[in-house]
Amino acid sequence: MSGLGNITRKEIRELLTPATFVPIILVALIFATMGSSIQGIQEKSLAPPTIGVITEDNSTLGGIASTILYTHARSVYNSTSESDLQGALETVKQQNGVAVIVIPKNFTERITQEKPGTLQIYWIMKGAGLMDTISSSAVESLISYINTNISKALIRENTTVNASFVLAPTQRAETTYFKSREFVGLSPSTISGMLSSQSLLIPIVMMMIIIMAGSIVITSMALEKENKTLETLLTLPVKRTSIVTGKIIAAAVIGLILAVIYMIGMQFYFSGFQISSGVNLASFGLTLTSTDFIWIGVSLFIALIAGLSLCMLLGTFAKSYKSAQTLTFPITMLAMIPMFITMFADFDTLPLALKVFTFAIPFSHPMMAPRALLFHDYTLVVGGIVYVAVFAIVTISIVVWVFKTDRLLTGTMKFKWLKKMKIRRF
Amino acid sequence: MPAVEVKNLVKKYGSMDAVKNISFSIDAGEIFGLIGPNGAGKTTTLRVLSTLLSINGGSVMILGHDLSKQAAEIRKLISYLPEDAGAYKNLSGRAYLQFIANFFDAKEVHAMVQKGIEITDLGARIDDRVDTYSKGMMRRLLVGRALMTNPKLAILDEPTSGLDVINAQEIRKLVKTTAQAGTTVLLSSHNMLEVEYLCDRIALISEGKIVEEGKPKNLMEKYKARNIEEVFIRVVHE
């Protein structure tokens, strides 16, 4: 065999390991899952939205608008009087609908006078994620379609109509109901845009800290083994709990310093988006108080401790620096999954299984906390903190237990119950 | 009361028996050697006595403490030097000694570090980063670390492993001096000549079992051998 062939064969043999392929296979699976989710979103966007229609104007242009709504949407409440608005909202909400659209009495009259006819839209917003606003986007498309058809009708009837008016003969008066609050003048997409720019900071920062600080912990364990310092450490008069918590606290401190640096940079980045949206969250009562920031800080810190204890547990499996790099992958995934979930949907609107899955991941909680606090959902935040604290305590206890067994040095574990089961089986 | 008393010790790795029912005892101030080839069970025995591994059978008493129940107490009294031990590479030699000394009585930290520096005899290099040390310098640092804490029992796994003749000789002298100062020493080696020079008593271990035990001189007489190496070969083959 030639030198080249010999070297190539040896290199391939060395690189052809599960450590090389498992992460890539997992990434491929995640992309495939995301692809099918997007396909699901597309299908959802094609379904007619559920609405309620109140038509006070049955003349020509009002008729065009109502006909389009009845034809292209699933109308679950029809009325001819705006006084039925509360009933309409209740029905549409029960039917999991998106909006109640009111075509007022003077709709046609105003347009014929070359004044924009107002469509009153009362949105029922369920969540602020990308998936949550799909149905409202479908209604927005219908409103545009109504606008286009009224333009056509105006041009057909009167060729001398004002050109700039005929392109936009309607206007919207919007009110959005979201989490028991009323937002006058805002559409769900505007609210969603504002909230996503506001609440994207924590998920990104959380993900980065977990990846960086987690890698510190796992690598530290791997280096203790690789540099043969662990055996000495374990024979010194120091409690196993102190070794474990010492490593976690050190990584948490470094992680928090990294978080502060990261947050400063990201805050400047996101402040640009907030200005460009032109809407001030504070004017709608959507501001975080200093107490809220303390809650977020506690949630972030507890999640960081939980994440690092999980990393510590993984670190006990690391035999070398190289294997430590592979072990950071599951943690990266656990940090990325809730980031994407919170981006796509609100916790409240998730299917039950996904809700349980998201709640179970400790990193989800600081990611969900800012939005929950904006809407005073303290149950989710406090419940999350308690859960993550319990998760951290249990994980640290498991790590301390592992430190007290032979596993750290021998790579084997004594599971007496497993042994008993095997004996019973054979 | 012996410093170390091992009775019917059994240690298994899964289904493999690494140490099979061995018993021995070490008197206070004695240098006791576990002698045997690679894979005989020396390191496993030392790891068990150092509180690193749990036992599957038998009992171990160290300085009056039961290993299975009082490991934390034992750790205060012993010092373990693993065969292929390392130190934290980003620390200097002095910082490493300081780090270890900080686990002990705060009043004695300074004295411990000074003793460690004296034992290592690294001169100005003690303030250099550990990753710049040669193998001999590293071993001296680790021996200094192991002995500076004035342990009641020093467990040294192949203390001169991989060292040149001069470094090895210095470490042997150091072990002798430490024992003379009252520390009980348990060491392992596959260098039979070293053991003959250092140890008051030895146990020959083969395939996890102690096959012979006694003073080197008595064993050589018993087996009419010129050195311990010949004793070992005769014991194993007969």
Side-chain angles (χ1 to χ4, degrees), chain A residues 128-130 203 337-346 358 364 367-368 371:
Chain A
L130 290 176
I337 290 168
M339 193 186 90
F340 282 116
I341 289 176
T342 50
M343 203 183 280
F344 278 107
D346 251 9
T358 309
S364 305
M367 296 183 184
M368 297 187 299
R371 192 175 293 173

Side-chain angles (χ1 to χ4, degrees), chain B residues 136 140 160 163-173:
Chain B
R140 267 160 44 196
T160 59
L163 294 182
D164 59 47
V165 180
I166 297 167
N167 276 312
Q169 188 62 34
E170 279 177 17
I171 285 173
R172 281 183 205 123
K173 279 182 194 165

Side-chain angles (χ1 to χ4, degrees), chain A residues 224 227-238 240 247 404-406 409-410 412 414 419, chain B residues 11 13 47 50-54 56 75-76 80 82 84-89 100 103-104 145:
Chain A
E224 288 272 12
N227 295 336
K228 312 282 181 193
T229 49
L230 187 63
E231 285 187 40
T232 304
L233 193 61
L234 293 175
T235 56
L236 291 169
V238 55
R240 288 348 192 206
K247 281 182 179 290
K404 286 178 179 172
T405 65
D406 295 359
L409 300 173
T410 62
T412 58
K414 279 196 298 184
K419 212 174 175 182
Chain B
K11 178 63 195 170
Y13 294 126
R47 280 176 154 195
S50 308
T51 74
L52 285 172
L53 300 179
S54 57
N56 298 102
R75 282 185 206 116
K76 292 176 188 167
Y80 175 53
D84 48 2
Y88 299 104
K89 290 179 179 174
I100 298 293
F103 289 111
F104 294 84
R145 187 275 300 162

Side-chain angles (χ1 to χ4, degrees), chain B residues 159-196:
Chain B
T160 59
S161 164
L163 294 182
D164 59 47
V165 180
I166 297 167
N167 276 312
Q169 188 62 34
E170 279 177 17
I171 285 173
R172 281 183 205 123
K173 279 182 194 165
L174 209 58
V175 173
K176 277 252 182 198
T177 318
T178 305
Q180 280 160 7
T183 298
T184 307
V185 178
L186 166 62
L187 59 85
S188 83
S189 181
H190 55 256
N191 182 341
M192 312 267 174
L193 297 173
E194 171 178 284
V195 169
E196 198 179 315

